[in-house]
Amino acid sequence: MFQRASTDRPLAQLSPDAYQPLTDEDVNQGISDQAFWIRLRLRNSSDRPVRWVLSHETTYLDRLTVHWSDNGGPRQVRALTDRAVFANRSEAYRTLAFAHATPAAGYTDLILRLSNDKPDSVSLNLHLAEASVFAAQSRQTYAVYGLYYGALLVLVFVSLAAAWMLRQWVYFHYALFLVASGLMWALLNGLAYQYLWPQAVFWHNEGFHILYLLMAAAAFQFSRSFLFTRQGFPWIDRLIRVGQAVMLAGVVLRFAGVYLPVLVLSYVSLVSLVLLAPLGFMAYRRGQVYARWYALAWVIYGVGLTLSVISASTRWLPWGMESLAFAQAAGVLEALLLLVALGERLSGWDRDRRLALRLAQQDPLTGLTNRRGLVPAYEAFRERYAQTRVPVYLILIDLDYFKNVNDTYGHEAGDRVLVALASLMSRVSRPADVCIRYGGEEFVILLQAPSEDVAQDIAERMRQDFAGQPTGHGGCTIQHTLTAGLSPVFSANGQLSLKQALQQADQALYQAKRAGRNQCRAYRPAAQALPRPTRSERGVHDVD
């Protein structure tokens, strides 16, 4: 049974006939400045006293006054309040709680007065349990909260580490949001007052709306950073910044003593977070694939927060704290989904980086790796040789009389010949080999082979196929040949630098050119004594 009355009305002035049954629809009273009285009788049919604990379900109830009497005896009174330090509580529990023992074969009459010092959300839900049952349930509850906040701390440390290692502000903003969200829930769960600031009476009572606003502002800041709203949605970004400014102004006003407008603002700020879900879907439709997880996260969490605000501020939902518990559980799932979204965004950046690097190292005409890719390829083959001890060789290829092809058939025909050679190299070489357009009509192949003869056979096969497959262009058949020089890079005889390997292959190429072109030769030390030819003697010409 319950009844409502003005906060200054004493028990003696209440009419016993004014009480009405307490139903599920009466649990949530919305925002109110009235006092609520609840009357009940507890009977003990056993032959021993039964100790029990009565606790309120919310942490933001300011005062719970308990009037009780046993077996019709004199009435006693105990006033419980969170307007005092936590150590003054009769029960060291996260919400206001009262313990008593009903006599054997007797009864206890209880009259409870619930009130707030200022208009605030009022719930008439109270939990009554035998002391041993209450202790067991409390241990389970604290264990669940321990897992929740432990997981939250892990996510905070992971995001801060990612922010430091990757130098990405979005991970810091994610950590900031997690911290603000965790503090908000710790305050709502009563754990912040019990463990973090048990002496801070003001912060426990006045910090709810401040943390609501800070959490919402942090969520919007993370969203701006994550979705690139400044670039992709400039007008939405401006609205978000205005909203954040209003939220931070609300924090200042709350410290200045303004109450009711800040309360309304904090609730509106929490509900506004549900709008981040459609923003995420908009970003997804614009190509930010990872935003799908972000949008799903805010659908879940935003709905949970909205239901909690409706339950706390109105009488529409008869759910008590169940909506708040759902919102907190949704917050766990949301944090994990946001982490997945961050991971997918990072992997997308890595793919884009690899693609950009590949394009930067790719020759646009032939599709082969360009000169920039030679050094990374050389380092990769060094690692392969260290692991497999299979020798590595470098083949330097030069087209014969390529200037004549350009002069006779045109540069477009010359490009067609270069593409034909690149295609042939890709077909003849093995997947592990690296084919590179070194510049103009010069090409390089890096490969592993068990012996120099095998490497030279590969070069010879390319030479023969290229000579035997003329290129057609504009109704003309273009005959062409190539000359190749071979040098060991890593072998049992030693390891050469890239510069040394290129010089030796170039010397072998020169010997083949002097011997008549259209042939392949391996480097021999005696060839180093021969004079270096000019590029015109070798028939080498750059082609744009």
Side-chain angles (χ1 to χ4, degrees):
M1 305 288 286
F2 89 105
Q3 64 171 295
R4 60 173 61 87
S6 61
T7 54
D8 58 352
R9 191 172 183 182
L11 176 61
Q13 296 182 8
L14 297 180
S15 169
D17 297 333
Y19 285 94
Q20 55 185 314
L22 180 61
T23 64
D24 290 341
E25 287 71 21
D26 300 313
V27 167
N28 287 345
Q29 291 293 323
I31 297 175
S32 175
D33 59 354
Q34 290 186 308
F36 294 84
W37 296 82
I38 297 177
R39 187 179 69 184
L40 67 156
R41 172 172 289 184
L42 304 178
R43 295 186 180 276
N44 177 15
S45 59
S46 69
D47 56 358
R48 60 179 180 82
V50 174
R51 184 171 179 81
W52 44 264
V53 179
L54 179 75
S55 61
H56 192 259
E57 73 168 351
T58 72
T59 58
Y60 42 80
L61 179 67
D62 287 341
R63 302 185 187 277
L64 174 61
T65 305
V66 182
H67 302 259
W68 81 94
S69 64
D70 293 325
N71 297 331
R75 182 179 293 125
Q76 302 178 65
V77 180
R78 177 169 296 169
L80 309 176
T81 178
D82 67 357
R83 296 284 172 173
V85 296
F86 187 86
N88 288 352
R89 293 190 175 184
S90 58
E91 300 295 323
Y93 188 61
R94 58 191 186 87
T95 66
L96 297 179
F98 172 74
H100 183 64
T102 298
Y107 63 90
T108 299
D109 286 324
L110 288 173
I111 299 178
L112 311 173
R113 182 180 185 274
L114 292 74
S115 64
N116 290 313
D117 290 359
K118 296 186 289 292
D120 205 345
S121 176
V122 177
S123 170
L124 303 184
N125 235 3
L126 294 129
H127 300 290
L128 179 68
E130 191 176 346
S132 60
V133 175
F134 175 81
Q137 292 175 343
S138 298
R139 287 193 295 270
Q140 293 176 358
T141 300
Y142 280 86
V144 171
Y145 283 141
L147 291 174
Y148 168 77
Y149 291 105
L152 204 61
L153 281 175
V154 170
L155 290 178
V156 169
F157 286 131
V158 168
S159 55
L160 288 176
W164 180 75
M165 291 186 294
L166 300 174
R167 300 296 191 269
Q168 294 289 334
W169 276 102
V170 66
Y171 290 94
F172 176 76
H173 293 150
Y174 177 61
L176 190 65
F177 163 68
L178 291 178
V179 170
S181 185
L183 288 175
M184 180 191 77
W185 285 114
L187 195 60
L188 285 167
N189 298 148
L191 301 178
Y193 196 37
Q194 185 172 1
Y195 296 110
L196 299 182
W197 46 75
Q199 303 293 323
V201 176
F202 171 85
W203 187 246
H204 171 67
N205 286 275
E206 316 302 336
F208 287 98
H209 309 130
I210 293 173
L211 284 176
Y212 294 166
L213 292 169
L214 290 178
M215 192 277 281
F220 278 111
Q221 185 59 37
F222 166 72
S223 301
R224 291 182 62 215
S225 180
F226 182 77
L227 298 177
F228 302 102
T229 57
R230 186 174 181 180
Q231 295 81 15
F233 309 94
W235 66 274
I236 294 179
D237 185 76
R238 287 193 291 271
L239 286 178
I240 290 176
R241 282 185 288 155
V242 170
Q244 288 177 302
V246 172
M247 294 172 195
L248 295 180
V251 172
V252 174
L253 290 174
R254 189 67 195 91
F255 278 114
V258 179
Y259 178 73
L260 198 57
V262 177
L263 180 149
V264 174
L265 176 62
S266 67
Y267 282 176
V268 171
S269 298
L270 289 180
V271 172
S272 69
L273 294 179
V274 76
L275 298 176
L276 294 177
L279 178 60
F281 283 117
M282 290 169 60
Y284 173 72
R285 292 186 62 184
R286 290 198 178 186
Q288 298 182 34
V289 179
Y290 51 82
R292 56 186 174 177
W293 300 109
Y294 168 92
L296 179 59
W298 281 109
V299 166
I300 297 171
Y301 199 31
V303 169
L305 290 172
T306 300
L307 291 177
S308 297
V309 169
I310 293 174
S311 181
S313 58
T314 71
R315 301 185 61 186
W316 299 344
L317 302 177
W319 297 342
M321 290 287 285
E322 292 179 3
S323 58
L324 203 60
F326 168 76
Q328 188 167 3
V332 177
L333 183 57
E334 186 242 14
L336 294 175
L337 287 173
L338 290 180
L339 191 63
V340 171
L342 283 167
E344 186 170 21
R345 189 175 93 149
L346 181 62
S347 64
W349 282 353
D350 186 60
R351 286 194 302 270
D352 293 343
R353 182 189 64 80
R354 290 175 182 273
L355 177 60
L357 183 62
R358 187 166 64 249
L359 292 176
Q361 296 179 352
Q362 186 178 57
D363 176 54
L365 176 63
T366 64
L368 298 180
T369 303
N370 62 22
R371 188 168 184 155
R372 292 190 187 96
L374 183 56
V375 172
Y378 169 84
E379 296 298 336
F381 274 97
R382 184 206 296 274
E383 294 181 7
R384 290 188 204 171
Y385 177 72
Q387 295 172 358
T388 64
R389 311 308 292 182
V390 176
V392 176
Y393 297 91
L394 184 147
I395 302 173
L396 182 61
I397 297 173
D398 186 80
L399 274 68
D400 298 328
Y401 303 111
F402 187 68
K403 182 178 183 303
N404 294 339
V405 174
N406 284 328
D407 292 343
T408 303
Y409 301 100
H411 285 280
E412 185 177 346
D415 289 348
R416 184 70 66 86
V417 172
L418 293 173
V419 171
L421 175 56
S423 177
L424 173 63
M425 292 170 63
S426 298
R427 290 197 309 272
V428 174
S429 62
R430 300 159 302 180
D433 301 339
V434 176
C435 300
I436 296 170
R437 185 185 179 192
Y438 190 61
E441 69 274 22
E442 290 183 312
F443 294 78
V444 168
I445 301 176
L446 279 172
L447 73 158
Q448 281 186 299
S451 67
E452 183 182 278
D453 290 341
V454 174
Q456 193 160 357
D457 286 344
I458 294 174
E460 181 63 23
R461 187 162 65 252
M462 288 185 187
R463 184 196 66 78
Q464 291 176 1
D465 289 351
F466 188 64
Q469 298 176 13
T471 299
H473 178 74
C476 300
T477 301
I478 304 173
Q479 300 289 338
H480 41 57
T481 60
L482 62 80
T483 301
L486 174 70
S487 170
V489 184
F490 306 118
S491 67
N493 296 325
Q495 300 187 22
L496 302 181
S497 67
L498 180 58
K499 181 178 180 181
Q500 292 170 328
L502 284 169
Q503 288 175 342
Q504 290 191 5
D506 196 37
Q507 289 289 339
L509 177 65
Y510 165 61
Q511 289 300 309
K513 289 277 189 181
R514 292 292 293 268
R517 293 184 171 84
N518 190 25
Q519 57 185 282
C520 301
R521 284 206 176 183
Y523 170 76
R524 295 293 177 263
Q528 292 178 340
L530 296 173
R532 181 72 171 86
T534 64
R535 292 181 67 83
S536 60
E537 287 178 319
R538 295 166 55 205
V540 175
H541 302 277
D542 291 333
V543 177
D544 293 331

